[in-house]
Amino acid sequence: MEDLWVIMPEIVLASMACIGLILDLFLSKKNRVITYLYSQLTLVVTAVACWHFTVYGSTTTAFSGQFVADPFAQISKLVILIMMFLIFTYSRAYTRDRNIAFGEFHSLSLFCTLGMMFLVSANSLLMIYLGLELLSLPLYALVAMQKDSRNAVEAGMKYFILGALASGLMLYGMSLLFGLSGSIQLNDIATWVHGAQGGQLQVSLFALIFIIVGVAFKLGAVPFHMWVPDVYQGAPTSVTLMVGSAPKVAAFGMAYRLLHDALPGLSAEWTQILMVLAVLSLAIGNILAIAQSNIKRLFAYSTIAHVGFLFLGLLVAPIVGYGPAMYYIVTYALVAAAGFGILLMLSQGYEAERLEDLKGLASKNPWLAFMMLLVAFSLAGVPPTVGFYAKFMVLNALVDAGMTWLAALAVVFSVIGAYYYLKIVRVMYFEQPENAIAPVASVDMRIILSVNGLAILGFGLFPAPLFMICQNIFSSGL
């Protein structure tokens, strides 16, 4: 019974998602708003359960140690639930107006959320793989959900095939670790790796490579990034918002569990691999983004570059801690949600995907243009937005770890990346609009988008509280 209390937030979410799926079957098209409101209620109730059933600062395990509820899992779940709340709010009008399966969109998204919550609480290889598949399978269906769109179906197929390949490689690495250590528990594997020598150590390094390939694919790092631009462009924008925000936090959680909890004994090896992936992602992501005229593809390559920054934070984590990396991914998810939310608000009667669609936005809707300016400045790392502070913390961690040359290289690529972010600002403020139609949106979307945008500025002006939370949740594990 005690195990069920530990996992109660996941039980609440799974139960309400199943009820919502059945409820939607009995609703007419004009009453589908009930599905939306019920999905938002599900997220709120799950967040309350996360707060109520987990004592902050304590660590509890369940089901023979396979599931863990610790401060990292609790904060990550709350961030994921907040991101999903934003996603549902921003996507409501877009999904309804395009006759995308409304109930299925919300049900599949809730099951994705369940997979993300399992990922950040996983304490065994089995739980990590189950959480990963519970996240990935609904996500494949969501990408291809717009069945009358050839691009969406093609993107869904690419995502499914490459995702299945990455899952298979990761599973192979996990099976090697299980075969060597005789256990699927992360702490048992960590103990075994510390004592491994000779041939056993070489095979464990072989397993490490396969696991990092899986993590790099899920985050979209070079050279496993080929799915990112096509999926971002081909999927409906509401699904692109989903792919580009909350799952990044869950993927970071998976990387933390695997690298920190299971393979700390190989930290010297995996930091070298992450260093190569980080530099490649920064270079390819920023350089290829310059040539993009489609905003969704531009954001896709931008994501690849930001994953490079995240890997920089991860590779110095054994020295300075995971706080900067956690702070970076949380703030990135917040900024990405606002960016795609603005694209969804602009997509009225057409798909706002081209840079030209932002022309003259400042004259049509100055407030919305200001929100997009904050997004672009934050992604570029311009003060006083939160993106500047997030980049600064990662660069500072690199310098503290004695990798000043790597910090300098990251700054050079960031300057290159600033070019295409400033291009967004230029077309909004210094070019004439192609049409005079001003975007309109519901009151709740305008309020939440404004709060989201101002949070980018607020966390940049007052970064300490959020950073201290990210720092403190790892303090017991360092």
Side-chain angles (χ1 to χ4, degrees):
M1 188 64 190
E2 292 181 359
D3 289 350
L4 296 180
W5 286 118
V6 176
I7 206 171
M8 188 54 70
E10 285 75 12
I11 293 176
V12 169
L13 178 57
S15 303
M16 292 190 72
C18 292
I19 294 171
L21 186 63
I22 298 170
L23 175 68
D24 185 72
L25 295 174
F26 298 97
L27 293 175
S28 61
K29 189 175 180 180
K30 67 177 182 180
N31 291 326
R32 284 288 168 81
V33 67
I34 295 174
T35 302
Y36 163 75
L37 294 173
Y38 180 83
S39 301
Q40 295 287 46
L41 177 66
T42 301
L43 296 174
V44 173
V45 172
T46 306
V48 172
C50 280
W51 195 258
H52 181 71
F53 289 102
T54 307
V55 179
Y56 183 76
S58 68
T59 299
T60 312
T61 59
F63 301 105
S64 304
Q66 296 202 58
F67 186 93
V68 61
D70 58 5
F72 169 71
Q74 187 185 17
I75 296 298
S76 297
K77 288 175 188 176
L78 290 174
V79 171
I80 289 168
L81 292 169
I82 291 170
M83 288 298 120
M84 292 306 299
F85 191 90
L86 296 178
I87 290 167
F88 285 163
T89 304
Y90 296 158
S91 303
R92 181 174 57 144
Y94 181 92
T95 309
R96 179 197 60 209
D97 296 343
R98 283 157 182 75
N99 292 320
I100 297 173
F102 199 77
E104 289 85 337
F105 172 79
H106 288 83
S107 298
L108 289 170
S109 298
L110 289 176
F111 285 118
C112 280
T113 310
L114 184 62
M116 289 186 259
M117 291 176 65
F118 272 113
L119 263 184
V120 298
S121 270
N123 200 34
S124 73
L125 297 178
L126 177 63
M127 196 62 73
I128 287 176
Y129 193 72
L130 288 177
L132 182 62
E133 291 306 302
L134 191 53
L135 164 63
S136 299
L137 293 176
L139 214 49
Y140 301 146
L142 281 168
V143 171
M145 181 161 279
Q146 202 169 11
K147 293 185 285 294
D148 56 348
S149 168
R150 181 179 175 182
N151 289 337
V153 175
E154 185 179 331
M157 284 300 296
K158 284 182 181 175
Y159 195 24
F160 171 71
I161 293 169
L162 293 173
L165 178 64
S167 294
L169 292 173
M170 177 177 276
L171 187 60
Y172 183 61
M174 289 178 173
S175 64
L176 286 176
L177 284 180
F178 170 63
L180 289 167
S181 65
S183 174
I184 59 172
Q185 303 281 10
L186 299 186
N187 51 356
D188 291 342
I189 293 171
T191 303
W192 181 88
V193 169
H194 272 297
Q197 292 180 344
Q200 290 181 332
L201 185 59
Q202 290 179 351
V203 177
S204 62
L205 288 173
F206 201 57
L208 171 68
I209 292 171
F210 281 102
I211 287 174
I212 288 184
V213 167
V215 172
F217 177 87
K218 292 302 174 187
L219 282 166
V222 176
F224 311 102
H225 67 290
M226 61 290 289
W227 63 274
V228 182
D230 292 339
V231 169
Y232 271 49
Q233 184 181 6
T237 307
S238 55
V239 178
T240 308
L241 163 62
M242 168 99 186
V243 174
S245 53
K248 302 298 182 193
V249 179
F252 169 75
M254 179 177 68
Y256 171 73
R257 295 296 182 198
L258 285 168
L259 300 178
H260 177 266
D261 290 355
L263 300 169
L266 300 177
S267 60
E269 288 75 14
W270 57 254
T271 54
Q272 297 297 316
I273 300 173
L274 292 185
M275 188 184 298
V276 175
L277 296 179
V279 173
L280 288 175
S281 299
L282 284 169
I284 301 295
N286 280 314
I287 292 172
L288 293 185
I290 293 173
Q292 306 304 318
S293 58
N294 182 291
I295 305 173
K296 288 163 73 175
R297 287 189 78 86
L298 188 151
F299 278 160
Y301 283 106
S302 161
T303 299
I304 294 167
H306 284 282
V307 168
F309 249 100
L310 171 64
F311 277 4
L312 292 179
L314 280 174
L315 71 91
V316 294
I319 304 171
V320 301
Y322 287 81
M326 176 78 177
Y327 184 79
Y328 196 90
I329 200 65
V330 169
T331 55
Y332 173 76
L334 183 73
V335 176
F340 285 111
I342 293 169
L343 291 186
L344 285 169
M345 190 169 167
L346 292 173
S347 297
Q348 295 173 0
Y350 69 100
E351 294 292 333
E353 293 185 353
R354 304 171 304 147
L355 270 175
E356 288 76 9
D357 295 325
L358 293 176
K359 278 184 177 178
L361 182 61
S363 61
K364 294 192 295 185
N365 191 327
W367 182 248
L368 196 61
F370 178 64
M371 293 292 106
M372 185 56 109
L373 179 140
L374 290 176
V375 169
F377 277 9
S378 184
L379 291 172
V382 176
T385 57
V386 70
F388 165 76
Y389 193 76
K391 279 187 166 66
F392 173 78
M393 292 311 300
V394 171
L395 295 173
N396 189 52
L398 285 170
V399 173
D400 288 345
M403 299 180 185
T404 308
W405 66 272
L406 198 53
L409 197 62
V411 170
V412 170
F413 285 122
S414 293
V415 172
I416 295 172
Y419 170 78
Y420 56 84
Y421 293 125
L422 295 179
K423 197 163 61 173
I424 295 175
V425 177
R426 178 177 59 79
V427 299
M428 287 194 303
Y429 282 89
F430 300 105
E431 296 194 13
Q432 294 300 316
E434 291 187 343
N435 63 67
I437 302 173
V440 293
S442 59
V443 175
D444 59 337
M445 181 171 181
R446 279 182 285 164
I447 292 174
I448 292 179
L449 188 59
S450 297
V451 172
N452 192 172
L454 292 176
I456 296 171
L457 185 61
F459 284 130
L461 291 171
F462 306 101
L466 181 59
F467 182 74
M468 290 308 297
I469 291 174
C470 294
Q471 192 80 311
N472 290 338
I473 60 177
F474 297 108
S475 59
S476 60
L478 291 174

